[in-house]
Amino acid sequence: MGTRAERLEWTRGDGLVAVGAAATDLTGLSLSAVVDGTPFTATAALGLVLAALTLLVRRRHPVPVLGAVLALGLVVNLATPAPPHFGLTLTVALFTVARRCRPAAVAAAGLATVPLAAVGLGGRLVPSGMNVLTNALAAALVVGAAVAVNRWQQQTEANRLLLAERAVAEERRRIARELHDIVAHHITTMQLMAGGARVSLEHDPGAAREALVTLEASGRMALGEMRRLLDVLRAGEEAESAPTAPQPGTDDLQRIVTESRLAGMDTQFTVLGTARPLPPTVGLTVFRVVQEALTNARKHAGNANARVRLTYRPQEVSVEVCDDGPGEGPPRRTPARPRSGRAGYGLIGMRERVALHGGTLEAAPREGGGFRVAARLPVPAAAAVPAAAAVPGAAEGEDHRR
């Protein structure tokens, strides 16, 4: 069972089009009858209204609707000595056929419309050459406009896909640079630990053993990060002249929450579960998700309230960012083909980053208003950062609201 609009096969916009077409055609023919001094019968008025009502289902049945409009138009032309006209209802029906049907069907519809719409005009069953020529020009304009709109829509869709691909490629390049920095850090640590173990091997075997254990853990993590790096690394990377800064992580979430408050959005930050050190790329992903979600909230939700919730579980870490704003900017959507034609490229980047770690990302409007972004990242206990202390003050169920 679909919605009421789906069961009726028409929407509010279709209803407005039908009402507008009926009102326009009724007004035009009635004024022509007054000017020419000819009668405007109830049969003609009823025919115009019925023809306009068929537009309610024109999207799913364009060709039958055009046929019904032509048949009812013939009734109108025979019921009253109407002057030559190409009504708005007929224009909409032919335009829909040209937008939704194949070229052969469009050509056949245009050829049928030109003579049939002229039958009965002026009280004559055989249409005059002038009426046929006028209808031919009108039909050509309608079909030409539909073809132009189709081409514009195809070009817009192609541009949207191109922009989305560029956004994904740029996000992957940025991830590759970040992973490169992290892997370089681990390799440097491994080199230092190996040198320390060599120096301590003879006079302090215990220290050498501890250094080797740290070296093993760092090597294991470096291999994992390098594997992800190979998945996203792309050729043609341009060198950057600016020095790289330390990559942020979960310890920096309080900072961006504070920045969000200073920007005018009342933002709460909550940490649930027992906090533990995360692999650098996972912590960076959590940070980027929260950063992008709060940026979108400030951009689209105005001075609404926001909530950031970070949850540690034994086998995963999750983060949720919600706001309760009505949304004053353009709608934020994340389906494969956004209805508005505007992709949320920040959300595309977040989804790409989360998927790189085998996680999931949800981003959608909330039923009660506002927007919700939630990411879940698998982090087994064995993947914790070696020899690192837990985050102070983040005990079980601790609330970091300020």
Side-chain angles (χ1 to χ4, degrees):
M1 292 294 291
T3 62
R4 181 174 179 271
E6 291 173 342
R7 293 195 301 270
L8 295 177
E9 297 185 344
W10 58 274
T11 64
R12 181 181 301 178
D14 296 327
L16 294 176
V17 169
V19 172
T24 301
D25 289 345
L26 284 172
T27 302
L29 282 186
S30 61
L31 290 178
S32 297
V34 172
V35 172
D36 297 340
T38 57
F40 182 61
T41 63
T43 302
L46 180 61
L48 290 176
V49 173
L50 292 177
L53 287 178
T54 63
L55 297 180
L56 293 174
V57 294
R58 73 188 191 282
R59 298 181 186 275
R60 295 196 178 187
H61 312 287
V63 174
V65 166
L66 178 61
V69 170
L70 289 173
L72 290 169
L74 179 60
V75 173
V76 173
N77 293 343
L78 295 176
T80 184
H85 65 279
F86 198 92
L88 181 58
T89 300
L90 180 58
T91 299
V92 174
L94 182 59
F95 183 84
T96 305
V97 171
R99 285 291 313 278
R100 295 180 172 268
C101 297
R102 296 181 177 179
V106 175
L111 292 176
T113 299
V114 170
L116 291 178
V119 173
L121 290 178
R124 297 190 298 179
L125 291 178
V126 179
S128 65
M130 182 59 66
N131 289 342
V132 172
L133 179 60
T134 302
N135 284 355
L137 291 176
L141 288 175
V142 172
V143 173
V147 171
V149 170
N150 281 343
R151 290 182 177 177
W152 172 81
Q153 190 175 38
Q154 292 172 359
Q155 185 63 36
T156 301
E157 180 66 14
N159 291 338
R160 186 194 67 80
L161 293 176
L162 179 61
L163 289 175
E165 291 174 358
R166 288 179 179 176
V168 170
E170 178 61 29
E171 184 67 17
R172 288 178 176 177
R173 285 194 293 269
R174 187 170 72 164
I175 293 172
R177 290 193 295 268
E178 293 168 347
L179 289 174
H180 175 271
D181 296 338
I182 293 171
V183 171
H185 165 74
H186 286 302
I187 293 177
T188 303
T189 302
M190 292 167 61
Q191 181 182 6
L192 295 175
M193 291 296 103
R198 178 179 55 81
V199 172
S200 304
L201 186 59
E202 294 182 358
H203 64 275
D204 193 351
R209 182 180 181 279
E210 184 177 349
L212 290 174
V213 170
T214 304
L215 174 62
E216 180 186 7
S218 295
R220 187 182 301 111
M221 180 172 293
L223 286 176
E225 306 297 348
M226 182 64 74
R227 188 177 295 111
R228 294 189 181 97
L229 172 63
L230 294 176
D231 290 338
V232 297
L233 193 58
R234 295 294 182 264
E237 183 78 13
E238 296 182 0
E240 293 186 351
S241 58
T244 57
Q247 300 299 338
T250 53
D251 293 342
D252 299 276
L253 291 180
Q254 185 62 56
R255 173 173 59 83
I256 60 173
V257 168
T258 302
E259 292 175 358
S260 178
R261 293 178 187 143
L262 294 176
M265 173 170 284
D266 186 8
T267 308
Q268 295 180 348
F269 179 38
T270 306
V271 178
L272 301 177
T274 302
R276 65 182 187 273
L278 302 175
T281 52
V282 175
L284 177 61
T285 298
V286 172
F287 179 86
R288 295 299 186 201
V289 169
V290 175
Q291 185 181 48
E292 181 67 25
L294 288 180
T295 299
N296 286 342
R298 291 195 298 269
K299 183 186 301 182
H300 298 281
N303 295 326
N305 299 321
R307 182 182 73 248
V308 179
R309 179 178 296 168
L310 177 65
T311 305
Y312 292 91
R313 296 185 178 90
Q315 298 297 320
E316 70 174 22
V317 62
S318 64
V319 63
E320 180 186 63
V321 182
C322 300
D323 66 73
D324 58 5
E328 300 174 358
R332 293 166 289 175
R333 298 285 187 268
T334 55
R337 301 183 63 180
R339 296 179 182 177
S340 64
R342 299 177 181 178
Y345 301 124
L347 295 179
I348 292 176
M350 280 196 288
R351 194 177 301 278
E352 184 78 14
R353 186 183 290 270
V354 171
L356 178 65
H357 296 279
T360 59
L361 179 75
E362 299 177 3
R366 302 168 64 193
E367 292 185 359
F371 204 77
R372 174 179 177 269
V373 176
R376 300 178 64 180
L377 297 163
V379 185
V385 178
V391 178
E396 179 73 27
E398 180 178 354
D399 192 337
H400 283 260
R401 298 181 184 178
R402 297 289 187 267

